[in-house]
Structures are given as C-alpha cells and as structure tokens.
Amino acid sequence: MSYTIAVRALCEFTAKQGDLDLRFTPSPSAQEGIAGHAVVAGRRGDGYRSEVALSGQWNDLHVRGRADGYDANENLIEEVKTHRGRADAIPDNHRHLHWAQLRVYGHLLCQEQGMESVNLALVYYDIVSGVETVLRETRDSAWLRAHFEELCQRFSGWAASEAAHRAARDAALTGLSFPHADFRPGQRQLAESIYRANTGGRCLLAQAPTGIGKTVGSLFPVLKSMPREKLDKVFFLAAKTPGRRLALDGAATLCRASQAPLRVLELTARDKACEHPDKECHGESCPLARGFYDRLPAARTAAAEVPVLDREALREVALAHEVCPYYLGSEMARWSDMIVGDYNYYFDGSAMLYALALNNGWKTSLLVDEAHNLVGRARSMYSTELDRELLRLARAGAPPGIKKALERVGRAWTAVDKTAPAPYQLLEKIPAKLVDSLQEAGSAISEHLAAFPGPLDPDLQRFYFDAMGFVRLAESFGPHSLCDLSRDADRPTLRDSTICIRNVVPAPFLGPRFAATHSSTLFSATLGPWHYCLDTLGMPEDTAWVEVESPFKASQLEVHVARGISTRYQVRAASVQPIAELIARQYRERPGNYLAFFSSFDYLDKVANALERLDPTITAWRQERRMSEHERQGFIDRFAVGGTGVGFAVLGGAFGEGVDLPGERLIGAFVATLGLPQVNPVNEQLRERMQTLFGAGYDYTYLYPGIQKVVQAAGRVIRTEQDRGVVWLIDDRFAQPGIRNLMPAWWELGSQ
C-alpha cells in the first residue's frame, strides 16, 4: 500500500525538534522569495536547470519534490533559501531542516542518474543586499542513501497508518449513503450538480435557497466523489461561525451514517485559540511552546484518533500533551481529510491551506458557503492602507538608524500630499518614491533586528507590517485596484492623510486559487447573477451554474411592496412615521415576532422611537453598535416561541443572515431600504472602475450587493416547509421590473 509525501513534508516531520519559536524576525514575502530564487538562477551558467522534479521510493513510501537547481557541469545540486539580515543569525534548527531537504534531493538525484557522489550547496540569498552565502559539501551516494532511509524509517510507521487510514476512508466513502430517509426538495438537485462538478473536475456556482439543507447537500456529493477522484482533502469555508458549526455537524452526521473514519478539523483564529495571550510565542515565555516539537508526535497521534477535531476537542488534546492548540491545529491540517475554516485560510495573500496544497501537491475540492460574502471579504484581503499618524508614532520610538529612514518616508509622503490637497483624491498611480522609501525603511528595520534581536517598539512594528504590506500590494498593482489619498474630517490638515491601495476586483488574486483545486463549488441563496460572480471572483470560464428550485411555495410567504414610501436618503426623514405606522398595523393584524431592518443605526433609532411613541404596548429591542457575542445571543434569544415584539437591526449586519428562527420564533420582516451601499467618493470610484472593466458600474457596485442583503434579510422568515410569514419591502423602487427580477423566483410580490 503506497503512500506519497513531499520532500519538504518528510523533512519537516522528521527533522524538527525543540521549542516553537515565533519571535518576530522579518522574512521575505512569497513574492520576494520567488524573485530571489529567480535572481540566483539567473546568475548561474548555461548548464544550470531550475525546479528539477525528483522522486524516489523506499518500501511503500513514495517521496517527491522539486530541487531548486542543478548544474550538470559541476555536478552540483542547490537548495536556495531567501532571507533578510545576517546569514549567521539563521537559527541552527532551521539550517538542520534545510540540510535535510538538500540531502534528500541529493539522494534522489544520485538514484535517478546512477551517480556515485554529488556536490551539495545550501545557498542563503539576502533579498536586501543581494549577497549569497553558500555552504557546500560533497556526499557519496551510499551516505545519502543511508540518510534518506533513516528519515523514511522515522516516518514509516506514520506513513503505514496514514495509508491504512486512506484505504479505510475511501472504502467507507465508496459505499456512502445519504444519511436521511430522503432528500429535501431541491437538496437532490444541489447534490447531483456538485457531484457532476467534482467527477468532471469543474467549478460550480449554485444559487440554492435557505431551508433545503445546503450543508449536508454539498458535503455528501463531495465525500461520495472522494475515492473515485482520488481527492486528498476537502476544504469547507464559511464566513461566519454558525456556517462552520453546521459543516462540522454535517460531517459528523455523514461519518456516523457510513462509519467512515473521516478526520475533520476546525481551524480557529490564533487569538481565539491562544491559552496564554499575556505571553510571547516562544519557549522562554510560553510553557506550551517550550519543547513543542518534542511533544508533538504524541499529540499528533492522539489528535488523529479524534474523528471531529473542533475547537474544544483540539484544545483538550493539546492541553493533555502540553502543546499549543493553535499550532497543533496547523499541524493536523496536514493529516485531516476535511478542514473547516474561515475564507482567509485559503484566499488571503498568505493563506495556510493554499500554501499547503501547493507544497504537498494535494488534489482538493473546495466548498464555499454563503459565497455572496466572498467579494467583499476578498477585497479587504487585497487592500491596505498607511496612516501618517502611525508614521509619526513609529518615528518617535525608533532607534537613530531607523529614524533617518522613516524621515525619508515622511519627505516622500509630503511630496504626495502636495499633489493631492483635496479631502479625498484618486492618485493616478502608486507613488514610486514613497514605495522606494518604504522598502528602504523596511530594510533598515530588518537590518536592525538582525544586529539587535529583540522586540520592537509596538508602533514601529505595526508600521513595519503596514509598510511591507503596502509594498507587496504595490508590486501587483493594476486595473483591479485603486490608489487613493484621504483625510479624516477630524484631522483635515495636509499632514494628516491616509494612502490606500484599494482592491476593486479580487479576480486576479482568487483566480489561481480556484485553478489550483480539482473542483470548487460556491453556494448561497443570493449568489447571482452568474456573470457578476465570474467577473469579480475570477472563476474559470467553463464554471457551471445551477439555480436550485425552492422547496417553498408562494402561499407560505406574503411579500408586499410599500409603494407609497421612499427610503431615499434625500427624503428619508419623511419616511420615519409611515414606516412606524406600517409596522404597528402589521403587528396588530398578526401579533408575533418580527425583524425590522434599516440601512443605518441612525435610521433604525428614529423609526424605533417613532414606534414607541405611536404604540408603547409593542415590545421592541434594538441592535446596538459593537455588541459582544453574549449580547448578540441575547438579542436572538428574545425571539422565543409564543413571544411577541419587534427586533430592530441593521441590514447586512450580524442579524441579516446566518440567523435561524423557524416557526413562531419569527413570523415576519420589514426591510426599509434597497440595501444599496452609501454613495461616497470611494464607492463612486469603484463604480467608475466597474463601468470601465465590465460596462455595469452601477449594478456591480450598488444594485447587486444591495439586493443580496435584502433577500438574505427576508430569508430569515421562511426556514422550513411548515413556516408561514410576511415580508414588507419598504420602498417604491422594489416595484421596478429590473429589481423584481433579482428577487427569488418563488416570491409573488403584492403591493400596499
């Protein structure tokens, strides 16, 4: 029974030891690393080959990888590592790992070429100075074979158990049956579409209404296709905690139904998983970092025996073995079959799951829940800003050498400020001199840390992160993004500006992520239109589209349009009293629990106050700004069976989606806005860019995102086939044909 592993993964598994040490040391970005490798390769002679694919076998273990370079003329194989600062500051345990990788490549090359010996070079390339530090050795094939076999021997027990696990998993999933007596209406259509996408190796956009059981309906076909398509991993990504919990519960249900030994892992943010937030993440400070790699093998073995490693289960295993829960979770991502987490674990610039998939050559299927959120979330992942106030704070706490570099940044910034005196101004291009000065400041900070290891001033460290993030996005700047300068109304002076690289279309960044999967399925109740998703997210041109039939009937939901009321900003004040009267009238006709959605807290408060004056007997409660998790749960708990009252909430906020209140818990909703994003200078620039790129500036910037929020909010009312309810769409524009066409097909819109 063969088991395949990457060279890097083999060495990381067998060669790491001692403490977990994550003290801040500036390191090259992925882009800088790629560029550094290219520079080193460009310096070599004609006989030099880059990215040399090598593989070999030891018993049932198949090892594969790509050596950075091989020079046939010198019989020299190289492993290139980029870094910042002094090469002699690279920790010994890192060097040990690098040598292990290089020696494995040396063995694989000797085996492939039938060579008696090979020259090995570990090349450390400083991306700042361009200096190469080269460490060399020559090894004969017998020594390299013994080294390779020693590593394989250490891994062999785990490899055998992993191969057995994979075989048992695939055997059970081959016979996987749907865990319920029958599919819900619409659920079979969704499942069949996802199964076809996976067996055909295509991507899919699925607009599927709430209430059909999307989670199980999407997991079942992917797991069913896993053995046939030889999938290594399933990634289930959701924007919010409730979606991730449903995925974990759905996976547990499917595992119990088939008795499949499926390993399911929940990834949790580092700040939520940390047991000692008051300590630094290294062995001299945190007891769970001390000796982490020495205790990791036992913790890993124990964790692999837990079918569903959610946050609580992972924490229990980690603490039992005195290791960090967060980094045990990162390790178990390598050995789990299904991984549940937030969007950022696969889509952001330094995404862990995407990097692991590429490095290990995994064949993956990706499921993205509530995917209408992905455009906004991805924009934020590939946007960044610099605040001049932070530059001043960083300079105040900086050592002399760094302070001079920061002063140069200040001068370059002033030059930009002078060319853009308006409160908000689009810059025609990235300010090149500012970027150069930021790069120089980053190098100065890196060199200082190399010479004087230790914690940086917090403001200086934050500025360093912001500056390097800005430089990285500047390297990939293009029509997909804008660069603008703005001044806070409270800080209007010329010196108080913020410069932002603002992503408009995430497609160029997300496209490679979808291309790296075997199949990707994005699903939501409000996903369309199809072309909007393709254009903004960068999905392949052959992506399939399915609109799943609703299990609900028009008779279940009365949808009314309040034609006589306008919620346009210019006349919004005049709408407050009529909306309060409408809510009171509907409540008197059918008392029960209602949700009322508004475009802002200010609008919400004005209508809630008007309702209180109109009828103080109607119980009402309000969403507040910056509610804690406990306070949000308290808001939801007020929607009790048999209860009556009106909850006031902001459209697109915490209660506009992902809230499940079936039956009497919620019998109606009022949506007092089209949900259109605010018209402001930034959104107007987005609209102009969308118009230039796609010829649909208003629709892509305002209309589609707004109507998605409206339909999501209204979707809180009907959750099961037994529910009955009413929705009031409060604005005369809801009666326009173009907007009605964006509503769910099963709705029948009446009017006031």
Side-chain angles (χ1 to χ4, degrees):
M1 192 182 299
S2 182
Y3 184 86
T4 300
I5 188 170
V7 170
R8 179 172 176 173
L10 173 67
C11 295
E12 287 182 339
F13 190 96
T14 56
K16 283 190 173 182
Q17 56 189 6
D19 294 351
L20 180 68
D21 191 343
L22 294 168
R23 278 173 280 202
F24 170 63
T25 53
S27 58
S29 67
Q31 284 292 107
E32 289 169 334
I34 292 169
H37 278 72
V39 169
V40 172
R43 293 173 174 176
R44 303 303 186 251
D46 294 337
Y48 190 82
R49 287 192 298 145
S50 298
E51 295 291 313
V52 181
L54 295 167
S55 63
Q57 197 80 17
W58 182 83
N59 294 342
D60 292 329
L61 187 63
H62 182 69
V63 181
R64 66 186 181 191
R66 289 182 178 274
D68 289 326
Y70 175 63
D71 189 330
N73 296 328
E74 296 188 29
N75 189 28
L76 176 70
I77 193 165
E78 290 187 328
E79 179 71 11
V80 179
K81 301 295 182 183
T82 56
H83 71 104
R84 295 175 183 269
R86 300 196 330 264
D88 59 7
I90 296 171
D92 288 341
N93 59 345
H94 288 198
R95 290 180 190 272
H96 184 67
L97 182 61
H98 301 159
W99 274 118
Q101 289 178 244
L102 178 57
R103 289 161 179 164
V104 169
Y105 286 128
H107 163 72
L108 296 178
L109 184 68
C110 285
Q111 288 294 105
E112 181 183 281
Q113 302 290 336
M115 300 187 306
E116 291 298 321
S117 65
V118 65
N119 298 314
L120 307 174
L122 186 55
V123 180
Y124 289 107
Y125 174 75
D126 185 342
I127 64 165
V128 177
S129 66
V131 172
E132 294 180 33
T133 301
V134 182
L135 308 177
R136 289 179 178 249
E137 67 176 25
T138 299
R139 294 288 184 181
D140 61 54
S141 60
W143 189 96
L144 292 171
R145 184 188 308 109
H147 172 263
F148 174 73
E149 291 177 351
E150 180 186 355
L151 297 185
C152 291
Q153 181 66 46
R154 290 185 204 169
F155 185 70
S156 61
W158 183 264
S161 66
E162 285 299 291
H165 166 76
R166 176 73 173 253
R169 180 201 77 182
D170 287 352
L173 293 180
T174 299
L176 181 65
S177 299
F178 194 66
H180 304 298
D182 199 0
F183 288 89
R184 296 183 192 178
Q187 195 178 39
R188 181 185 292 276
Q189 183 187 6
L190 175 66
E192 289 177 348
S193 299
I194 294 176
Y195 185 77
R196 285 195 297 269
N198 276 269
T199 55
R202 295 180 67 188
C203 294
L204 173 69
L205 291 166
Q207 183 159 282
T210 298
I212 67 168
K214 290 196 292 289
T215 304
V216 172
S218 60
L219 282 175
F220 171 69
V222 173
L223 295 178
K224 185 74 174 175
S225 69
M226 215 169 179
R228 170 176 166 164
E229 299 304 314
K230 295 181 172 53
L231 297 178
D232 297 302
K233 310 282 179 185
V234 175
F235 299 152
F236 189 105
L237 308 179
K240 298 182 179 180
T241 301
R244 297 192 285 276
R245 185 70 255 173
L246 286 172
L248 293 166
D249 293 343
T253 298
L254 288 163
C255 288
R256 285 193 301 269
S258 63
Q259 296 186 328
L262 193 74
R263 292 184 192 150
V264 182
L265 170 70
E266 179 186 17
L267 292 175
T268 305
R270 180 175 166 180
D271 59 341
K272 292 182 179 180
C274 182
E275 290 291 317
H276 298 288
D278 59 322
K279 294 179 172 59
E280 295 181 24
C281 198
H282 57 81
E284 296 174 15
S285 176
C286 179
L288 299 182
R290 191 176 307 124
F292 176 87
Y293 289 109
D294 301 327
R295 294 191 293 273
L296 179 59
R300 180 170 51 214
T301 299
E305 297 299 317
V306 181
V308 179
L309 270 175
D310 59 12
R311 177 179 173 181
E312 293 76 18
L314 185 67
R315 178 177 183 269
E316 183 178 343
V317 173
L319 296 186
H321 291 81
E322 300 181 82
V323 297
C324 171
Y326 176 77
Y327 286 99
L328 177 60
S330 299
E331 172 67 17
M332 293 312 297
R334 302 170 185 272
W335 314 111
S336 298
D337 305 303
M338 174 179 160
I339 302 169
V340 178
D342 186 83
Y343 294 167
N344 64 287
Y345 283 105
Y346 191 77
F347 289 115
D348 79 11
S350 56
M352 178 180 73
L353 291 181
Y354 178 62
L356 284 173
L358 289 185
N359 291 337
N360 293 284
W362 290 339
K363 191 175 185 181
T364 62
S365 183
L366 175 67
L367 294 170
V368 183
D369 188 20
E370 300 295 358
H372 61 277
N373 291 295
L374 187 55
V375 173
R377 285 287 304 277
R379 280 175 174 164
S380 66
M381 292 174 194
Y382 294 97
S383 299
T384 190
E385 66 179 31
L386 289 172
D387 188 334
R388 187 145 190 182
E389 174 65 19
L390 182 57
L391 171 61
R392 284 199 287 273
L393 292 172
R395 192 170 59 190
I402 297 176
K403 187 170 291 188
K404 290 182 179 179
L406 295 180
E407 288 170 353
R408 288 192 289 272
V409 173
R411 289 194 292 272
W413 200 317
T414 297
V416 178
D417 278 333
K418 289 179 179 178
T419 66
Y424 175 85
Q425 198 157 337
L426 184 70
L427 304 180
E428 293 184 4
K429 56 185 179 180
I430 298 282
K433 290 185 178 179
L434 177 62
V435 173
D436 289 344
S437 67
L438 290 170
Q439 182 71 70
E440 290 171 4
S443 299
I445 295 171
S446 300
E447 291 167 5
H448 173 82
L449 281 171
F452 306 100
L456 280 176
D457 173 82
D459 291 324
L460 180 58
Q461 181 170 308
R462 183 181 160 204
F463 178 79
Y464 174 82
F465 289 151
D466 288 354
M468 293 300 94
F470 193 93
V471 169
R472 282 193 289 271
L473 284 181
E475 292 172 353
S476 58
F477 188 75
H480 51 71
S481 298
L482 306 169
C483 185
D484 57 34
L485 182 147
S486 59
R487 293 180 175 84
D488 194 314
D490 297 329
R491 297 186 297 156
T493 65
L494 188 67
R495 284 169 51 81
D496 289 310
S497 61
T498 299
I499 299 177
C500 181
I501 296 177
R502 197 181 306 275
N503 180 251
V504 179
V505 182
F509 300 104
L510 303 192
R513 311 295 167 110
F514 294 121
T517 68
H518 172 70
S519 176
S520 295
T521 297
L522 278 61
F523 54 96
S524 168
T526 53
L527 196 55
W530 176 81
H531 57 82
Y532 171 71
C533 293
L534 252 62
D535 288 343
T536 55
L537 297 177
M539 300 191 74
E541 287 296 325
D542 66 346
T543 296
W545 165 267
V546 61
E547 186 158 2
V548 178
E549 295 178 10
S550 174
F552 308 131
K553 300 180 178 63
S555 59
Q556 290 182 250
L557 184 66
E558 299 174 30
V559 184
H560 300 288
V561 176
R563 293 172 180 263
I565 302 175
S566 171
T567 64
R568 294 171 178 85
Y569 184 77
Q570 298 88 338
V571 295
R572 188 164 291 170
S575 72
V576 171
Q577 189 64 25
I579 293 173
E581 293 171 356
L582 173 61
I583 293 173
R585 185 172 69 250
Q586 174 62 44
Y587 180 86
R588 294 187 195 110
E589 289 177 2
R590 186 185 172 190
N593 289 322
Y594 292 85
L595 264 169
F597 293 97
F598 298 86
S599 56
S600 68
F601 283 101
D602 179 64
Y603 198 8
L604 176 159
D605 286 334
K606 287 178 179 177
V607 176
N609 292 338
L611 179 64
E612 185 177 359
R613 291 191 297 269
L614 181 68
D615 190 341
T617 67
I618 299 176
T619 302
W621 55 97
R622 311 182 191 188
Q623 177 182 354
E624 303 291 345
R625 293 173 173 83
R626 294 178 292 278
M627 293 175 81
S628 67
E629 190 170 334
H630 176 74
E631 290 170 331
R632 289 197 297 270
Q633 188 58 49
F635 182 95
I636 292 297
D637 289 343
R638 298 193 67 168
F639 293 88
V641 174
T644 57
V646 182
F648 284 78
V650 172
L651 190 69
F655 308 111
E657 61 180 83
V659 173
D660 197 19
L661 299 169
E664 294 181 21
R665 295 190 66 190
L666 185 69
I667 64 168
F670 307 89
V671 185
T673 171
L674 265 69
L676 306 180
Q678 183 183 17
V679 176
N680 57 36
V682 172
N683 283 335
E684 282 298 281
Q685 290 297 337
L686 263 63
R687 180 186 60 78
E688 289 185 18
R689 182 60 54 88
M690 289 293 199
Q691 185 66 32
T692 299
L693 293 174
F694 308 118
Y698 175 78
D699 289 351
Y700 278 29
T701 306
Y702 295 105
L703 184 58
Y704 296 157
I707 297 302
Q708 284 179 349
K709 288 187 285 187
V710 170
V711 176
Q712 281 287 334
R716 300 311 96 204
V717 178
I718 300 297
R719 309 297 295 176
T720 74
E721 294 175 67
Q722 289 74 45
D723 285 358
R724 297 289 184 274
V726 60
V727 167
W728 279 95
L729 303 176
I730 306 174
D731 193 283
D732 57 281
R733 288 169 290 180
F734 281 116
Q736 296 174 3
I739 291 178
R740 290 179 68 131
N741 290 338
L742 296 174
M743 302 294 176
W746 65 278
W747 286 10
E748 291 182 2
L749 274 65
S751 60
Q752 184 177 13

